[in-house]
Amino acid sequence: MSSYDVIIIGSGPGGYVCAIRCAQLGLKTACVEGRETLGGTCLNIGCIPSKALLHASHMLHEAEHNFAKMGLKGKTQSVDWPTMQGYKDDVIGQNTKGIEFLFKKNKIDWLKGWGSIPEAGKVKVGDDVHEAKHIIIASGSEPSSLPGITIDEKIVVTSEGALSLPKIPKKMVVIGAGVIGLELGSVYARLGTEVQVIEYLDHITPGMDAEVSRTFQRLLQKQGLSFTMGAAVQSVETLKTKAKVTYKLRKDDSEATVDADVVLVATGRKPYTDGLGLGELGVVMTDRGQIQTDAHWATNVKGIYAIGDCITGPMLAHKAEDEGMAVAEVIAGKHGHVNYGAIPGVIYTHPEVANVGATEETLKAAGHAYKVGKFSFMGNGRAKANFAGDGFVKILADKETDRILGAHIIGPMAGDLIHEICVAMEFGASAQDLALTCHAHPTYSEAVREAALACGDGAIHA
Ligand code: NAI
């Protein structure tokens, strides 16, 4: 039996970042992981591999649509799917090995196997029981399907199967117009698949600023994705090599059926806490199956904490990372803190979509007086040069104080641009603070400054 200050269960972005921070703070740390490689869903079957396929398919899109316009002519590109899969697997390998290296460098023990907590202060991995003063559960989440749908990860797939299809399908039905459905739907649409997205609501990307959501849907339609909105999927029947998807339109209850080679079920994720023994321990859960924690990520059982997708809040890798660092600091006697009001969200399609803070809808609902500063990428020289003029930056600021309350970007590199606004919000900045900050020319970032200027006396290039 070995003894640790901290044992973390799960090595996804929440768990591995937490482990590194604990080690940096002088705590003797181990991390339990049952997968063959570290990094959890994000590195193995989520964020990282999907970004590799998004990058490769975007390059193809550029070659097909924009190269000739710039005078780049010659052999047309074609897709070698096994090589693209190999590239993706290589990217996964480099990243997961990177975590293994960081564990060694920080003297973190990797306890290989699936962990459970037989009692507070003890973690069982295989036949070994280890002692820990503090246990942090970072066990993540898993896809949640719909009743009446059986996932086989071949024809009816989750995001995991969709990343490793044996061949590029001719027709794909995506159930759910959320982040996963639109990112992976984009990948296959660019690779030549006919993609039909079936969504229960009347708009895509629930919770997103409505104006961004409408623009986003229009741009995706231009790229060839088709949308069936207000449609509740009822069942998916798998035949030998195909599936039949039946849905009901909410407006008139009429039913329709479509065929597909592959059906991607992207209707959300749920916390993964199976086998941890939380019921026997008496750990309090929410009615949505999440582990209930207090403001310091502590559960009701002394010495047991939880972070990331298995607790409340957005299921985002970076939210889990922040919680991982903060709980490590709390355990080390420091003041770990996460500002949940400034966590960005990004969809890595093309164009990218990013947001932070309040939407116009939430501000209206709260009766908060605000002003809007908006700037189109059409007015940004760099974007025009790069065929990236679609989209805009929108900054929402308090009507009286000018303090930034939220921002919504659809356009080139939106996922990077948003961080300027996150930093501004962390410092309680006003839109004028951003507007008065010199921005290099020509950059996409100038569009952020212009949106900030538009909150005041006006943007220059509008
Ligand atoms: P989601 O919650 O974003 O979207 C699910 C969609 O499915 C919703 O629009 C919902 O209305 C629809 N839906 C549900 N039942 C339906 C039915 N019967 N028929 C038709 N439509 C139906 O879930 P998603 O995309 O699966 O993502 C899961 C989680 O993973 C999210 O929390 C997301 O934030 C996270 N994620 C984040 C990424 C990123 O930050 N880039 C990438 C991938 C996942």
Side-chain angles (χ1 to χ4, degrees), residues 46-47 50-51 141 143-147 149 159 174-183 198-201 203-206 228 230-234 247 265-270 309 313-318 344-348:
C47 323
S50 64
K51 259 79 271 174
S141 60
S144 64
S145 185
L146 295 170
I149 296 186
S159 50
V174 175
I175 308 176
V179 189
I180 293 181
L182 299 181
E183 285 188 352
I198 303 180
E199 166 58 47
Y200 179 80
L201 300 171
H203 56 271
I204 65 171
T205 52
T228 307
V233 169
Q234 306 291 305
Y247 61 85
V265 183
T267 50
R269 296 181 65 85
K270 57 181 182 196
D309 283 9
M315 289 188 171
L316 296 170
H318 43 281
V346 180
I347 307 181
Y348 298 88

Side-chain angles (χ1 to χ4, degrees), residues 86-390:
Y87 149 69
K88 177 206 73 185
D89 292 339
D90 194 41
V91 169
I92 296 172
Q94 285 176 36
N95 280 279
T96 56
K97 291 251 163 43
I99 309 298
E100 218 173 312
F101 164 79
L102 290 173
F103 270 20
K104 284 193 187 122
K105 187 178 158 219
N106 286 286
K107 302 191 172 43
I108 297 161
D109 288 345
W110 173 5
L111 306 176
K112 295 186 184 179
W114 300 104
S116 61
I117 310 171
E119 59 185 278
K122 291 198 165 59
V123 175
K124 188 167 187 278
V125 185
D127 293 330
D128 300 328
V129 178
H130 306 272
E131 277 183 351
K133 288 188 199 123
H134 308 275
I135 298 168
I136 301 167
I137 303 167
S139 51
S141 60
E142 60 179 347
S144 64
S145 185
L146 295 170
I149 296 186
T150 310
I151 306 283
D152 58 21
E153 295 295 9
K154 288 191 179 79
I155 294 177
V156 185
V157 299
T158 65
S159 50
E160 179 172 0
L163 291 167
S164 303
L165 294 177
K167 61 178 188 200
I168 298 169
K170 279 205 176 64
K171 165 94 197 229
M172 175 183 265
V173 163
V174 175
I175 308 176
V179 189
I180 293 181
L182 299 181
E183 285 188 352
L184 290 171
S186 282
V187 165
Y188 285 100
R190 290 173 196 160
L191 296 176
T193 301
E194 182 194 341
V195 176
Q196 178 180 358
V197 183
I198 303 180
E199 166 58 47
Y200 179 80
L201 300 171
D202 295 322
H203 56 271
I204 65 171
T205 52
M208 184 185 278
D209 176 271
E211 193 181 7
V212 171
S213 171
R214 282 194 299 274
T215 306
F216 189 27
Q217 186 176 346
R218 185 173 51 75
L219 292 174
L220 291 172
Q221 276 162 343
K222 241 169 76 183
Q223 291 170 24
L225 283 87
S226 76
F227 289 89
T228 307
M229 306 302 291
V233 169
Q234 306 291 305
S235 64
V236 179
E237 186 193 345
T238 315
L239 310 171
K240 242 188 202 152
T241 56
K242 277 196 181 307
K244 274 187 186 304
V245 180
T246 303
Y247 61 85
K248 201 181 246 189
L249 286 182
R250 288 199 293 134
K251 60 175 184 211
D252 57 11
D253 267 355
S254 61
E255 263 194 13
T257 299
V258 283
D259 286 348
D261 303 301
V262 170
V263 178
L264 167 59
V265 183
T267 50
R269 296 181 65 85
K270 57 181 182 196
Y272 178 72
T273 56
D274 291 358
L276 291 173
L278 301 186
E280 294 81 346
L281 275 166
V283 172
V284 174
M285 311 291 282
T286 69
D287 51 12
R288 300 182 63 193
Q290 299 145 325
I291 300 171
Q292 193 158 302
T293 53
D294 67 11
H296 295 110
W297 304 280
T299 69
N300 62 311
V301 178
K302 199 167 168 8
I304 302 181
Y305 303 77
I307 57 167
D309 283 9
C310 64
I311 68 169
T312 53
M315 289 188 171
L316 296 170
H318 43 281
K319 174 257 194 190
E321 289 182 29
D322 278 28
E323 289 175 343
M325 285 194 278
V327 74
E329 290 178 12
V330 167
I331 287 170
K334 295 173 162 252
H335 300 283
H337 173 72
V338 175
N339 177 2
Y340 288 99
I343 294 180
V346 180
I347 307 181
Y348 298 88
T349 44
H350 198 84
E352 288 185 350
V353 182
N355 60 75
V356 62
T359 61
E360 287 200 60
E361 292 72 33
T362 55
L363 290 173
K364 273 181 199 145
H368 193 139
Y370 66 96
K371 53 187 171 174
V372 181
K374 209 177 133 188
F375 187 76
S376 162
F377 280 100
M378 281 298 177
N380 178 273
R382 184 74 178 277
K384 275 212 285 265
N386 296 356
F387 307 109
D390 282 329

